[in-house]
Amino acid sequence: MKTFMIERYGDQAAVHAGEMPDPRVGPDDVLVRIHAASVNPLDLRLRDGAFKAFLPYRLPLVLGNDLAGVVVRTGAAVTRFTVGDEVYARPDKNRIGTFAELIAVHQNDVAVKPANLTMTEAASLPLVALTAWQALVERAQVRPGQKVLIHAGAGGLGTIAVQLAEQLGAHVAATASTAKVELVKELGADVVVDYKRQDFETVLKDYDVVLDTLGGETLEKSLRVLKPGGRVVSVAGPPDAAFARELGLNAVLRLVMSALSFRTRRRAKHRRVTYSFLFMKASGDQLRELTPLIEAGKIRPVVDRVFPFDQTREALEYVERGRAKAGKVVVTMT
């Protein structure tokens, strides 16, 4: 099958087209012919080798972390799906590779595609929708009336998180550039801070939850807009020991993770708030929870640009250079 892969960690030059054997289909797997896959910052970090210390992939590695497509074969123990089902999924972290014609995915990580979406639209959702759900519903347990801040509200994750937070009944603030303020308001944000004109730290206060998608100085300032008992959930900040335990890492790596986040956790404790790092997990069940909201139009995908499969390298470069205006970039295989 045709793929886009890396044979060594590196920059954009490491990504190339190549042939790989068709996937082996286990008893609990569905084999999906991929129609579309989206590009995520995670793909760039995996390409660079940013996670090789605790996600030791065997090279060559096919990139790509979410998909929409059609089931073409099922394993002997599969009960949820049949051949011909249109599905979407974020494969488990150990079985990525959606920049390809085919992929075998465990049935527990797959859900039937929302009926109102095209394959292109559906492919834009799994990773960011699951991240938003796990941050706001699982980790932060957002309740109606709480104040939630979403950073980069026009980004791939931000566009979905703003909509989900609104559906959870939260008062939603988001940061965005001048050109994207109106879009983020249309998605459901009650307050949009134009970061080119204002410092969110001087505008917002007493928030219950912050979803940090940027890390660095933004994360540090986010601690200061929370009220006592508030929580920052970050997908871009330093990993912590809890994350290391989730991955089953050894004691040395757990200590390393703890050290990386020590300064941030200490500052959070000083302000009587909490910090946690989130590396999202695959979940077909959670996608099934999200699907009714998508089919009802309560959460809609935002797609910036679509590239054909043979331009996957260009799609990655487009995302890496920050050219996307809003939402996700998608690669179509058919």
Side-chain angles (χ1 to χ4, degrees):
M1 66 176 179
K2 296 177 181 178
T3 72
F4 274 84
M5 66 171 76
I6 58 170
E7 295 182 78
R8 58 177 176 80
Y9 293 115
D11 58 15
Q12 186 67 6
V15 181
H16 66 90
E19 293 281 339
M20 292 283 282
D22 288 357
R24 184 185 67 83
V25 181
D28 288 295
D29 293 342
V30 293
L31 183 67
V32 179
R33 182 165 298 281
I34 299 171
H35 286 224
S38 75
V39 178
N40 295 281
L42 177 59
D43 298 307
L44 302 171
R45 300 189 73 184
L46 290 171
R47 179 204 68 189
D48 295 342
F51 299 131
K52 61 184 178 182
F54 52 86
L55 288 177
Y57 289 108
R58 180 179 297 175
L59 302 176
L61 173 68
V62 180
L63 297 174
N65 281 274
D66 46 12
L67 69 102
V70 176
V71 175
V72 294
R73 192 188 314 166
T74 60
V78 170
T79 57
R80 292 181 179 271
F81 303 97
T82 60
V83 171
D85 284 346
E86 295 186 342
V87 297
Y88 68 150
R90 190 288 201 232
D92 181 77
K93 66 183 186 304
N94 297 319
R95 301 185 66 179
I96 67 168
T98 63
F99 297 155
E101 293 180 299
L102 296 164
I103 190 169
V105 188
H106 195 288
Q107 63 174 333
N108 290 347
D109 299 335
V110 181
V112 172
K113 179 183 75 66
N116 60 324
L117 299 188
T118 65
M119 289 288 187
T120 298
E121 291 169 330
S124 74
L125 286 175
L127 186 142
V128 292
L130 287 170
T131 303
W133 182 275
Q134 289 166 23
L136 299 177
V137 177
E138 277 196 328
R139 187 73 59 89
Q141 299 179 356
V142 171
R143 301 184 302 278
Q146 287 190 313
K147 296 168 68 175
V148 176
L149 169 60
I150 310 292
H151 283 300
L157 172 55
T159 53
I160 303 306
V162 165
Q163 295 177 79
L164 178 58
E166 183 199 24
Q167 290 304 306
L168 294 172
H171 171 90
V172 185
T175 57
S177 64
T178 308
K180 301 170 186 176
V181 167
E182 289 306 314
L183 168 65
V184 178
K185 286 182 178 178
E186 290 172 9
L187 293 173
D190 299 289
V191 176
V192 183
V193 179
D194 179 351
Y195 66 77
K196 293 191 173 183
R197 298 180 177 178
Q198 294 176 297
D199 184 342
F200 74 90
E201 184 189 8
T202 66
V203 179
L204 308 175
K205 65 178 182 178
D206 293 332
Y207 272 69
D208 297 281
V209 177
V210 177
L211 175 53
D212 168 48
T213 62
L214 300 171
E217 184 180 3
T218 298
L219 172 57
E220 296 294 333
K221 290 182 177 181
S222 294
L223 297 173
R224 298 195 284 269
V225 305
L226 288 168
K227 67 183 184 183
R231 177 187 291 269
V232 173
V233 180
S234 179
V235 298
D240 54 18
F243 167 63
R245 286 194 297 271
E246 285 178 14
L247 289 184
L249 301 182
N250 61 42
V252 173
L253 285 174
R254 290 200 299 271
L255 285 172
V256 170
M257 298 288 182
S258 183
L260 288 172
S261 60
F262 175 75
R263 180 170 169 268
T264 300
R265 290 185 290 108
R266 183 178 62 184
R267 291 189 173 189
K269 185 177 181 180
H270 177 73
R271 303 192 68 87
R272 291 184 291 158
V273 301
T274 59
Y275 165 80
S276 63
F277 175 77
L278 175 68
F279 191 92
M280 59 78 57
K281 302 188 246 343
S283 174
D285 285 340
Q286 290 176 359
L287 285 177
R288 279 183 280 278
E289 296 239 31
L290 285 154
T291 296
L293 293 173
I294 297 165
E295 292 183 331
K298 304 295 185 182
I299 293 177
R300 63 180 177 90
V302 178
V303 176
D304 175 81
R305 184 171 170 184
V306 181
F307 287 80
F309 182 54
D310 61 3
Q311 292 181 20
T312 297
R313 279 188 60 179
E314 289 82 350
L316 286 161
E317 183 178 11
Y318 181 83
V319 171
E320 186 168 28
R321 293 191 176 186
R323 292 179 177 175
K325 298 177 181 65
K328 295 292 291 294
V329 171
V330 178
V331 172
T332 57
M333 282 63 171
T334 56

